[in-house]
C-alpha cells in the first residue's frame, strides 16, 4: 500500500499549515489536511484554558490535561480510520511530548504506511513569524522550536528557516515518489 498519510511535526509558527496547503496543491490526488489547531478549536471553550483541557500560559508554554488527552487520542484514531477508509491525509501536529507524542500516533495508525516529516525552523525566525501572526502567546515558538523534535524519528526532515512552504511541499512530494 502506498503512503496515504503524512504527519508533519514542528513547533508553532514553523510553517506546517502552509506546507500542508502546499501539499494539497502539488500532490496529484486529493489530500485532506487536519491540524491540531482544528482539534483545539473544536473543543468546548471551557477546555481551552483549563487544567483538564489545554492551557496556554502567558510565556507560551502549553500544558494538556486528562480530558484533552482523551480527545486527542480519539482524534488520532479517527484520522487513522479515515485513511483506512481510503482518504489521503496530511496531519499538522505539535509533538509537545516529543517521542511520547509520536508513539501515540504510531499506536493510532498501526500498520498504515506513514511519511513522518520533521519541520524545523530557526527559533528567531519562528518567533518573528509568531509576532507577525499575533494569534499565539509570545514565546510559544521559541519554546517549541526544539522541544517537539526530542526523541522523534523521521523519514524526512525539512527546514523552513530560509525555504518557502511550497518548496518544502515539493520536497515532500518528491520523497513520496
Amino acid at each position: 500500500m502506498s503512503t496515504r498519510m503524512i504527519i508533519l511535526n514542528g513547533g508553532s509558527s514553523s510553517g506546517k499549515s502552509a506546507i500542508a496547503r502546499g501539499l494539497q496543491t502539488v500532490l496529484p490526488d486529493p489530500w485532506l489536511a487536519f491540524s491540531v489547531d482544528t482539534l483545539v478549536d473544536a473543543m468546548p471553550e471551557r477546555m481551552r484554558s483549563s487544567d483538564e483541557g489545554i492551557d496556554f500560559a502567558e510565556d507560551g508554554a502549553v500544558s494538556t490535561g486528562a480530558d484533552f488527552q482523551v480527545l486527542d487520542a480519539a482524534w488520532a484514531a479517527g484520522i487513522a480510520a479515515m485513511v483506512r477508509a481510503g482518504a489521503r491525509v496530511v496531519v499538522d501536529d505539535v509533538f509537545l511530548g516529543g517521542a511520547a507524542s509520536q508513539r501515540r500516533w504510531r499506536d493510532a495508525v498501526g500498520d498504515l504506511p506513514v511519511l513522518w516529516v520533521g519541520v524545523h525552523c530557526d527559533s528567531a525566525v519562528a518567533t518573528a513569524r509568531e509576532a507577525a501572526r499575533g494569534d499565539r502567546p509570545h514565546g510559544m515558538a521559541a519554546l517549541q522550536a526544539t522541544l517537539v523534535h526530542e526523541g522523534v524519528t523521521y523519514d524526512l526532515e525539512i527546514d523552513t528557516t530560509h525555504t518557502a512552504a511550497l518548496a518544502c511541499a515539493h520536497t515532500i512530494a518528491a520523497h513520496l515518489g
Side-chain angles (χ1 to χ4, degrees):
M1 174 186 225
S2 65
T3 301
R4 300 178 69 88
M5 186 171 196
I6 300 167
I7 297 181
L8 306 173
N9 174 51
S12 179
S13 301
S14 63
K16 300 177 309 296
S17 296
I19 292 169
R21 287 189 302 277
L23 285 166
Q24 288 178 310
T25 300
V26 303
L27 292 171
D29 297 309
W31 286 71
L32 299 172
F34 295 100
S35 168
V36 68
D37 293 339
T38 307
L39 169 65
V40 172
D41 290 344
M43 291 180 176
E45 185 67 36
R46 68 181 180 276
M47 286 186 63
R48 293 189 211 155
S49 58
S50 79
D51 291 341
E52 291 304 308
I54 187 166
D55 188 54
F56 301 93
E58 287 185 26
D59 67 355
V62 179
S63 59
T64 61
D67 289 346
F68 176 88
Q69 293 166 11
V70 167
L71 293 176
D72 189 42
W75 178 68
I79 290 175
M82 284 190 290
V83 174
R84 284 186 188 91
R88 292 173 183 83
V89 175
V90 179
V91 174
D92 154 5
D93 204 346
V94 180
F95 289 3
L96 294 174
S101 296
Q102 186 174 38
R103 270 192 306 281
R104 176 186 49 81
W105 270 109
R106 286 190 190 280
D107 290 346
V109 301
D111 62 353
L112 290 172
V114 174
L115 178 65
W116 299 91
V117 181
V119 180
H120 299 271
C121 183
D122 177 80
S123 178
V125 171
T127 297
R129 291 176 186 169
E130 172 185 82
R133 290 173 69 164
D135 65 349
R136 300 282 192 270
H138 178 70
M140 183 181 285
L143 285 172
Q144 294 178 1
T146 57
L147 171 75
V148 301
H149 300 292
E150 291 178 7
V152 179
T153 57
Y154 299 109
D155 300 309
L156 178 65
E157 297 186 58
I158 56 176
D159 191 320
T160 65
T161 303
H162 303 292
T163 306
L166 190 57
C168 291
H170 280 287
T171 299
I172 295 166
H175 189 85
L176 287 174

